[in-house]
Amino acid sequence: QPYRAAVCPLLPPLLPLAGEHGILGAALSGAGPAVLVLVECEEKIPGASAAIRSALAGFPPTDLLVSELAAQGATFVPDLNSVIPYLST
């Protein structure tokens, strides 16, 4: 991540927020420039959002998108033909 900070200016001001306002950590999302911020729980989102906005005060307006983590991950399907019948043709 450190070498990508130059192309993702939002990351350095968000990294120090880890451990505050319910923020568990921040990281590049994929190759960037989006930043993923993990928050402890839904109740902490307002405080975390305010801290993020404050940390990014000198930047152009940014979008904060709230998402939930899925409780269950992907499921292995051993026979794709049973799920997607047209694959067998």
Side-chain angles (χ1 to χ4, degrees):
Q1 272 184 179
Y3 72 94
R4 300 278 302 160
V7 295
C8 186
L10 300 180
L11 183 61
L14 296 177
L15 288 174
L17 297 178
E20 300 178 11
H21 310 284
I23 296 172
L24 300 174
L28 283 177
S29 179
V35 176
L36 171 72
V37 176
L38 293 176
V39 178
E40 184 179 339
C41 62
E42 191 172 349
E43 291 77 24
K44 303 278 185 171
I45 292 173
S49 295
I52 291 167
R53 294 259 184 237
S54 178
L56 300 179
F59 291 88
T62 57
D63 294 327
L64 295 181
L65 306 175
V66 178
S67 300
E68 290 183 22
L69 297 175
Q72 179 180 346
T75 302
F76 176 71
V77 179
D79 180 15
L80 283 178
N81 290 326
S82 66
V83 179
I84 308 171
Y86 63 84
L87 288 178
S88 61
T89 59

